[in-house]
Amino acid sequence: MFTGIIEEIGSVKSVQPGAKSMMLTISASTVLTDVHLGDSIAVNGVCLTVTEFTDKQFSADVMPETVFSTSLRQLTAGSKVNLERALAANGRFGGHFVTGHVDGIAVIREKRIVDNALYIRLSLPENFGSYLLQKGSIALDGTSLTIFDVNQTDITISLIPHSQEMTVLAKKQIGETVNFECDMLAKYVENMLNRREGNKETISEDYLRQHGFM
């Protein structure tokens, strides 16, 4: 579990491609202060498992499905990435519930400065429209953000100066992609409602007989 509060920007040192998978080696410092083999670190919002590490870098394998469904496949040596360690049980919960299981890829459509804020408009696939709520939460490249405008499948978010400096999102250009993860609470609620709707039984003579009323 993550919070979407980015701890540092790391730099991709190498990308070793497999047939359909890849292995990333990333230079970092803060996220390595208490790292152990098997720890989870979110890289641009994608939960990866540490397989090797030193005091200056760590490596993680990326499965074929993750390569296919996230923007990690676009990374090259020198790419900058958002990094966050999994939330410790005694840590502060500063963002929102982020699982590190990316829902898909969004495309940056517009960037504009408004006073001290950077407004970014992005397009998401159509089938995620039900999760896009004004003042709702979304994680973009692992960064916990608030949606302040929704127009069908387009959303607009605002980056304060601190987020502009501490995340990779502000550096990306129009046309570039970011990983997105919708609010997990919204997805659970939708799933429960769909299951309840699908399990509705019609009150009939057979139903009454099966349940001992006849």
Side-chain angles (χ1 to χ4, degrees):
M1 184 68 67
F2 304 91
T3 68
I5 305 301
I6 303 304
E7 296 187 272
E8 68 174 313
I9 295 178
S11 179
V12 176
K13 188 171 182 180
S14 67
V15 179
Q16 295 179 243
K20 295 183 179 180
S21 63
M22 59 193 291
M23 184 175 77
L24 294 174
T25 298
I26 298 170
S27 298
S29 57
T30 302
V31 299
L32 299 176
T33 55
D34 57 356
V35 70
H36 299 86
L37 289 178
D39 281 358
S40 295
I41 295 179
V43 178
N44 278 357
V46 182
C47 179
L48 298 179
T49 300
V50 175
T51 56
E52 298 178 18
F53 69 90
T54 68
D55 59 346
K56 296 181 179 179
Q57 65 185 45
F58 71 94
S59 297
D61 293 314
V62 185
M63 298 183 299
E65 172 60 25
T66 305
V67 173
F68 174 77
S69 60
T70 74
S71 66
L72 294 188
R73 64 180 182 270
Q74 300 170 0
L75 296 177
T76 59
S79 295
K80 303 301 182 184
V81 290
N82 289 329
L83 300 176
E84 182 194 353
R85 288 168 290 185
L87 177 66
N90 62 347
R92 291 183 180 273
F93 196 89
H96 72 281
F97 291 113
V98 179
T99 65
H101 303 154
V102 168
D103 289 311
I105 297 173
V107 180
I108 296 174
R109 299 300 186 191
E110 181 184 12
K111 297 176 66 178
R112 56 193 173 96
I113 297 291
V114 180
D115 199 355
N116 67 341
L118 173 62
Y119 287 12
I120 302 178
R121 182 171 62 85
L122 308 98
S123 293
L124 281 68
E126 291 185 3
N127 54 324
F128 290 94
S130 60
Y131 306 126
L132 307 180
L133 174 68
Q134 190 166 359
K135 302 299 178 66
S137 297
I138 192 168
L140 298 177
D141 272 350
T143 307
S144 175
L145 294 164
T146 300
I147 300 170
F148 80 83
D149 189 46
V150 181
N151 181 12
Q152 295 180 337
T153 58
D154 279 13
I155 63 170
T156 301
I157 57 91
S158 175
L159 295 181
I160 62 174
H162 177 77
S163 297
Q164 294 175 40
E165 180 182 352
M166 295 299 297
T167 73
V168 300
L169 193 55
K171 287 80 173 175
K172 292 195 171 184
Q173 303 303 312
I174 294 173
E176 291 193 76
T177 60
V178 302
N179 295 315
F180 72 87
E181 181 186 331
C182 298
D183 187 351
M184 65 178 292
L185 297 179
K187 290 186 285 187
Y188 275 118
V189 169
E190 181 187 58
N191 182 266
M192 287 188 290
L193 291 176
N194 286 342
R195 285 177 177 271
R196 181 177 296 177
E197 187 69 24
N199 289 334
K200 280 186 176 179
E201 296 185 80
T202 302
I203 302 298
S204 64
E205 184 176 328
D206 286 339
Y207 177 91
L208 294 174
R209 184 177 291 108
Q210 290 170 10
H211 290 80
F213 292 100
M214 294 181 64

